[in-house]
Amino acid sequence: FIAVAALRPLSLMGNLVSSKQESPPPLPRVISSSRWELRARPNGLVSVDDFALQEQIEIDTDLDEGEALVQVEMLSVDAFLRTMLDEKAYHGAISLGDTLPALGYGRVIASASPKLRPGSRVMGMLGACTVAKLSAEQAAMLMPMISLPGVPPTAFLGILGITSGITAWVGVHAVARPPRRGETALVSGATGATGSVAAQLAKVAGARTIGVAGGPAKAAYCTSALGLAGCVDYKAERPAGEQLDELCPDGIDFYFDTVGGPLLDEALKRLNRGGRVVICGASSQYNGNLNVGTVRGPSEYLKLAERGASMVGYNVLFYMHKLPFAILHLLWLRWRRKVALAEQVERGIGGFGPAMVKMFTGGHIGKLLVEVAEGGEAAVSAVGATPTQAKAVKLA
């Protein structure tokens, strides 16, 4: 949602138009909503049993000052959400019984906030629910959606989203010396939302780019759909190190890491002089290792000293001054068809819990989304009514 804020100044150029809709009809006193809540703290790999889907929850439409009701249309499934399920979390932990966190967008159906107009489309932290009743503080964090010619609204959760495309751009272009022609770049999680964009950006920069993914289908996706020079299949019987020796015979100059774990050591062993390692995340460590002293760190870090290489981590929120450059560059590359991001959209609010499991078990390619309201036009159900079903959307 912060990325959307960065688009506001560009509207002065005359080619950006705020997303608008006529005000919705008056609401009944009580409406129904469905939501996913945290039933138990995950122990290791996240499971659907850790969540509970509560349906036909009554929501009072009377609002206090600053509050708002939002009909949720689309939700983003992101790896960082897993970290918020632990008792201690960098991104902010939730309590048992709380609604599962999720970024998304939807329509304002009622508002007691001067910032939010009923009928307008907004995005931000809405939570895994069909109708979000937001406190004044939560409502104040929402951002208006922007309409761009030829750009679907899902792009603001994906290729132009702060957790995906913007994160990839910052990691490739703003954290360390970017990859360039004549160098070899390695990208882990290369079929994920962030990794696939990072791999394409490294390729566009001129580097010979190798991806890392799990399984033959994803390895083929890296070379065929993304056009990478090769892919390490970490699920193959052949060790990843041997595959790296074959695919990176001249070593590695730039490593964009979203996974961490043993693969990071394999990359460090093969770093060239002056090589750069950019730590975007460590999804292999998110399932129970954070904040309890069991994160698997790199044992080959001395290769950095031996080869005059560097390793740096980053938080995309520390690079907000780069947002206009990132957005314009990504838009330009998208319109030139140099960078794209596949979208895998699950159906209905009931698909959010299973989608969280897919995020960590290799069940998706590209950006994983959950369409809550069909076509963004689902009606609000009064208590006792049957919730509107969302349509199935194929992998784009």
Side-chain angles (χ1 to χ4, degrees):
F1 59 93
I2 300 175
V4 176
L7 284 170
R8 285 174 172 173
L10 301 181
S11 63
L12 298 176
M13 300 170 59
N15 53 4
L16 300 182
V17 181
S18 296
S19 178
K20 298 179 180 179
Q21 179 172 302
E22 293 183 0
S23 297
L27 295 175
R29 173 64 185 273
V30 178
I31 60 175
S32 68
S33 176
S34 297
R35 71 183 183 104
W36 283 92
E37 66 179 35
L38 183 62
R39 172 188 290 169
R41 301 282 182 194
N43 182 16
L45 190 65
V46 66
S47 166
V48 174
D49 293 335
D50 298 323
F51 314 137
L53 177 60
Q54 302 294 339
E55 299 182 278
Q56 296 294 316
I57 299 171
E58 295 186 2
I59 295 180
D60 190 335
T61 59
D62 283 346
L63 302 176
D64 292 332
E65 183 178 357
E67 292 184 335
L69 285 174
V70 177
Q71 174 79 43
V72 180
E73 297 176 354
M74 191 74 68
L75 293 173
S76 174
V77 184
D78 298 295
F80 85 88
L81 299 177
R82 169 61 183 87
T83 70
M84 298 178 70
L85 308 183
D86 293 332
E87 191 169 359
K88 297 179 180 179
Y90 170 73
H91 293 101
I94 67 170
S95 301
L96 293 178
D98 284 355
T99 301
L100 295 183
L103 294 168
Y105 61 79
R107 296 279 182 186
V108 178
I109 55 176
S111 175
S113 167
K115 178 183 174 182
L116 303 177
R117 182 179 59 81
S120 63
R121 180 179 266 173
V122 295
M123 69 183 304
M125 185 63 80
L126 299 177
C129 57
T130 56
V131 177
K133 186 171 185 178
L134 304 173
S135 67
E137 181 180 5
Q138 293 169 328
M141 294 296 292
L142 298 180
M143 294 293 176
M145 289 285 285
I146 301 296
S147 294
L148 285 169
V151 179
T154 52
F156 293 104
L157 298 177
I159 196 166
L160 299 177
I162 194 70
T163 63
S164 302
I166 302 297
T167 294
W169 189 95
V170 168
V172 171
H173 288 289
V175 176
R177 179 162 57 83
R180 57 189 176 183
R181 190 173 303 280
E183 292 188 329
T184 296
L186 180 69
V187 178
S188 63
T191 60
T194 303
S196 63
V197 175
Q200 292 172 86
L201 290 174
K203 178 189 170 188
V204 169
R208 180 176 178 272
T209 305
I210 306 297
V212 181
K218 290 190 175 183
Y221 180 85
C222 284
T223 54
S224 59
L226 301 183
L228 305 187
C231 182
V232 173
D233 179 359
Y234 69 85
K235 290 185 177 180
E237 292 185 7
R238 190 180 180 195
E242 290 185 11
Q243 296 180 61
L244 281 173
D245 288 337
E246 179 181 316
L247 294 170
C248 306
D250 299 322
I252 298 168
D253 300 290
F254 185 91
Y255 180 37
F256 183 92
D257 188 21
T258 68
V259 175
L263 187 64
L264 176 55
D265 277 329
E266 296 296 339
L268 288 171
K269 292 177 185 178
R270 293 161 178 83
L271 271 186
N272 288 330
R273 182 177 179 180
R276 291 88 68 205
V277 177
V278 175
I279 304 297
C280 172
S283 60
S284 68
Q285 305 301 301
Y286 290 171
N287 288 291
N289 290 339
L290 297 182
N291 303 307
V292 294
T294 57
V295 169
R296 162 71 188 273
S299 61
E300 297 289 344
Y301 71 93
L302 286 179
K303 294 294 187 292
L304 299 170
E306 294 171 6
R307 295 162 192 180
S310 62
M311 180 164 66
V312 59
Y314 73 102
N315 180 333
V316 69
L317 298 181
F318 298 161
Y319 291 82
M320 291 298 98
H321 60 289
K322 296 289 186 179
L323 272 178
F325 304 101
I327 291 169
L328 286 173
H329 193 197
L330 288 168
L331 280 171
W332 181 63
L333 292 174
R334 182 182 180 275
W335 283 328
R336 293 181 63 210
R337 299 188 178 182
K338 297 292 185 181
V339 174
L341 179 56
E343 296 176 352
Q344 181 169 326
V345 186
E346 303 297 314
R347 177 184 179 182
I349 189 62
F352 187 86
M356 281 288 290
V357 177
K358 287 184 179 181
M359 171 59 64
F360 294 97
T361 56
H364 77 291
I365 286 178
K367 184 66 186 182
L368 186 56
L369 301 166
V370 175
E371 185 183 39
V372 178
E374 182 175 0
E377 301 297 337
V380 178
S381 301
V383 171
T386 302
T388 302
Q389 295 295 316
K391 66 180 181 181
V393 181
K394 296 181 179 179
L395 180 67

